[in-house]
Amino acid sequence: MDLKASLGVSASGLRAQSLRMRVIAENLANQDSVAQTPGGNPYRRRVASFAAEVDKATGATEVKVQGIETDKSDFTRVYQPGHPAADKDGYVLKPNVNGLVETADMKAAQRSYEANLNAIEAAKSLTMRTIDLLK
């Protein structure tokens, strides 16, 4: 694999993990939000999905964003009869965001981002060494 292809692969990984971290940050920011109207639905967790795609110019397999989907899992119900968002039975729906899961996902995304940065740095270092040898 040539330098351009390897940099393209790492750059696509950086873009993918950056998007993933933004989606996770949005989930964490909204983990305690509730519906605006009584009995309404609160924030629904979002998940980024990715697919491998071959770049026709370089022949390298890169990461492409397939989409950002909503998690269809159930909301949690909490009994709070005095809450403005409570339904007629006194229950408030809470988002389907688990802070522990989001934190673990964020850590994994950060590690993947760092790995792609290290790969770019290694390619840069090898290129500089090659140029130094050619002098």
Side-chain angles (χ1 to χ4, degrees):
M1 183 182 294
D2 66 351
L3 179 65
K4 182 179 178 184
S6 64
L7 289 176
V9 170
S10 293
S12 72
L14 286 175
R15 285 189 298 274
Q17 296 308 322
S18 177
L19 172 74
R20 183 176 171 203
M21 286 188 281
R22 282 195 304 271
V23 170
I24 292 168
E26 180 182 320
N27 289 340
L28 286 169
N30 288 295
Q31 73 179 352
D32 293 323
S33 62
V34 293
Q36 300 295 318
T37 58
N41 287 334
Y43 175 83
R44 189 171 284 279
R45 179 178 185 253
R46 296 173 57 188
V47 180
S49 61
F50 306 101
E53 186 175 290
V54 176
D55 183 6
K56 292 176 180 137
T58 62
T61 304
E62 297 182 348
V63 180
K64 298 293 180 190
V65 176
Q66 201 169 27
I68 299 175
E69 298 139 11
T70 55
D71 183 352
K72 303 294 183 201
S73 63
D74 294 332
F75 298 119
T76 53
R77 292 180 60 188
V78 179
Y79 185 69
Q80 293 179 323
H83 197 283
D87 62 10
K88 62 180 173 39
D89 297 325
Y91 286 95
V92 176
L93 293 177
K94 297 284 186 171
N96 58 346
V97 177
N98 181 334
L100 188 60
V101 170
E102 298 300 324
T103 303
D105 284 349
M106 180 66 85
K107 196 60 155 175
Q110 286 173 332
R111 294 286 186 219
S112 295
Y113 191 90
E114 289 171 6
N116 283 298
L117 277 178
N118 288 337
I120 289 173
E121 186 60 39
K124 177 183 160 191
S125 176
L126 288 172
T127 303
M128 295 307 293
R129 285 188 208 160
T130 303
I131 290 171
D132 287 341
L133 287 173
L134 295 174
K135 287 183 182 179

